Amino acid sequence: MNVRYGILQGTFWAAMCVVIAFFVQLFKACGYDTMQCCVISACGTAALILSQPVWGALCDRAKRVRPVLLTALVLGMFSSLLFLLGGRSIYMMILGVVAFSSTFRALMYIYDTWAVRLRNDGAKLEFGITRSCGSFCYALTAALFGLAIDRFGTGIIVPVFLVLALIVAVITMTIPEAPPAVRTDDRVSFRRGLAGLLKNREYIVLLVSLFLVFSASNGFILFLPYRIYELGGTDAHYGYATFVMAISEIPALLLYKKISARISARTILCISFFFVSAKIFSTALFDSLTAVILCQLFQAPSYGLYLCAISNYIPTVVPRSFVFTAQTVLSAVVAGLAPFCAYILMGVLSNSFSASTVIGAAGVFPLLGCGLMTSFILISGKKKTAAKNL
């Protein structure tokens, strides 16, 4: 099961990489300027905000998760065809990005949550191992695809994506799920569950913290190519940077089990937020292509630790019957609302400031998120101690 799900994660993230990691190159090849790129990206993330909780709720309510995933995959493959018409009109490109973000892209955290569900249902599945396959394939794809785009152009994006997405769909069909009768959790309505999430103080603090952290992180990802171009780099250098970023996640994913035995998941989240800021600041400060590429090694203690910590933390905060929705509402903030705000703000700033200045300004927000989460941990810890002393 680990091998099969590892291949599934690897292929899914390779497919995600050839589109998401090279969105800027695709937009620029169609003749759009920096501000237009930011507007197109913002429209995609707005669609993500609305669609991810819907897919999460469908997974929670469905007897089996697999048919929901297959539906989203097929719709995502059809939506990618609109990218071929994006050069004719910015509205067609926006439509394509919105459709893609509402379907295939919306699954980015659902496959992680499905792995946790399968493991809880008795499957012999190790999250860290299978998710590290996703990071490795994302890294390898980023490095090779950057070179391929330099040679063949952005016209290869859609065909390569379609092949990979088809493989994802085929492997998804082979993943066994527990029969519906085995599931004993009481399912709650979407409205009732969402109301419960909004009353959950710990979950709300997490949402706000993640909004601050990922506003900066997503803005950083969008402006990393511009930073590399600013230093005289090419798409190949961007591919190398993305490779270093993704490959560095693997040690953190594999070592997480040992780390979590000594440190709680929410403390690990605070540590990861701090290193997000370190990655952003260092990328903005160094004026060497080699140094900027090496700065992406901070991805290990930032996003690498975050991936495992968040998947283990969410089930301890919300009921099992609403885990998919809780994860996708969170994902809507992380990959939807946060980048939407970041793209607009950083797009406006890019008209007056260099890429390094815009990236550097973003580095403050993860520190604010880290401070908020740390303060909550300390305050809640003091309250528990006081309650025990009564």
Side-chain angles (χ1 to χ4, degrees):
M1 187 65 165
N2 276 328
V3 173
R4 194 187 314 177
Y5 208 87
I7 296 173
L8 174 61
Q9 284 276 37
T11 311
F12 174 79
W13 282 102
M16 187 72 77
C17 179
V18 300
V19 178
I20 299 300
F22 295 93
F23 255 163
V24 170
Q25 288 83 343
L26 179 63
F27 300 156
K28 290 181 74 67
C30 292
Y32 303 122
D33 59 30
T34 303
M35 186 60 195
Q36 288 174 317
C37 290
C38 290
V39 170
I40 296 170
S41 299
C43 290
T45 53
L48 204 59
I49 294 170
L50 299 175
S51 62
Q52 282 191 316
V54 174
W55 290 112
L58 287 173
C59 288
D60 277 324
R61 300 295 297 169
K63 292 181 178 180
R64 296 182 188 272
V65 175
R66 189 170 53 202
V68 179
L69 295 175
L70 289 171
T71 300
L73 289 171
V74 172
L75 292 174
M77 285 188 275
F78 279 109
S79 68
S80 69
L81 297 175
L82 294 172
F83 294 147
L84 300 175
L85 306 175
R88 299 181 182 180
S89 166
I90 190 172
Y91 299 109
M92 190 62 68
M93 180 61 81
I94 289 174
L95 178 61
V97 171
V98 166
F100 181 82
S101 297
S102 300
T103 52
F104 191 92
R105 190 181 177 188
L107 301 179
M108 61 197 320
Y109 290 108
I110 291 181
Y111 271 107
D112 290 347
T113 309
W114 193 31
V116 176
R117 168 71 70 86
L118 291 170
R119 185 186 63 190
N120 291 340
D121 283 344
K124 294 180 179 179
L125 193 64
E126 188 65 46
F127 179 83
I129 294 174
T130 56
R131 189 57 180 80
S132 66
C133 293
S135 296
F136 174 77
C137 290
Y138 191 96
L140 188 62
T141 303
L144 297 178
F145 209 62
L147 292 170
I149 285 181
D150 268 349
R151 182 171 182 179
F152 302 108
T154 57
I156 64 173
I157 290 178
V158 173
V160 173
F161 166 76
L162 288 173
V163 172
L164 292 171
L166 183 60
I167 295 172
V168 173
V170 171
I171 299 175
T172 298
M173 287 189 289
T174 69
I175 302 295
E177 288 190 275
V182 172
R183 304 187 188 235
T184 57
D185 49 293
D186 296 321
R187 304 187 185 281
V188 296
S189 69
F190 177 76
R191 183 180 299 179
R192 182 183 170 190
L194 188 59
L197 290 179
L198 295 176
K199 293 177 182 178
N200 188 325
R201 187 177 300 175
E202 193 165 3
Y203 184 77
I204 294 299
V205 169
L206 178 65
L207 278 183
V208 176
S209 298
L210 289 177
F211 172 76
L212 292 169
V213 172
F214 280 90
S215 290
S217 183
N218 283 283
F220 168 80
I221 294 297
L222 180 68
F223 272 78
L224 181 58
Y226 294 108
R227 176 59 175 153
I228 289 173
Y229 300 152
E230 191 177 73
L231 296 174
T234 65
D235 289 334
H237 291 98
Y238 173 66
Y240 300 150
T242 308
F243 172 81
V244 171
M245 193 186 300
I247 203 74
S248 66
E249 294 174 6
I250 296 175
L253 289 166
L254 296 177
L255 292 172
Y256 178 81
K257 194 170 184 178
K258 291 184 178 179
I259 297 171
S260 61
R262 299 185 177 184
I263 309 173
S264 68
R266 62 180 185 177
T267 301
I268 294 174
L269 286 173
C270 292
I271 294 170
S272 70
F273 296 166
F274 172 80
F275 280 105
V276 170
S277 186
K279 180 180 68 175
I280 294 173
F281 278 132
S282 59
T283 300
L285 290 173
F286 286 107
D287 288 326
S288 161
L289 269 174
T290 302
V292 165
I293 291 171
L294 291 177
C295 285
Q296 308 319 306
L297 289 170
F298 279 119
Q299 186 80 350
S302 57
Y303 196 65
L305 289 179
Y306 165 81
L307 279 173
C308 284
I310 198 66
S311 295
N312 285 279
Y313 183 58
I314 290 295
T316 67
V317 178
V318 300
R320 182 182 186 277
S321 58
F322 211 61
V323 167
F324 276 101
T325 304
Q327 179 68 65
T328 48
V329 167
L330 183 147
S331 181
V333 171
V334 167
L337 182 61
F340 176 80
C341 296
Y343 293 160
I344 296 298
L345 177 60
M346 295 177 78
V348 172
L349 291 176
S350 68
N351 291 325
S352 304
F353 301 99
S354 65
S356 60
T357 302
V358 175
I359 289 174
V364 176
F365 292 95
L367 291 179
L368 296 175
C370 179
L372 177 61
M373 192 78 173
T374 302
S375 299
F376 177 79
I377 292 173
L378 293 175
I379 292 171
S380 60
K382 288 181 179 179
K383 286 183 178 180
K384 287 180 181 179
T385 302
K388 287 180 180 179
N389 293 334
L390 289 177

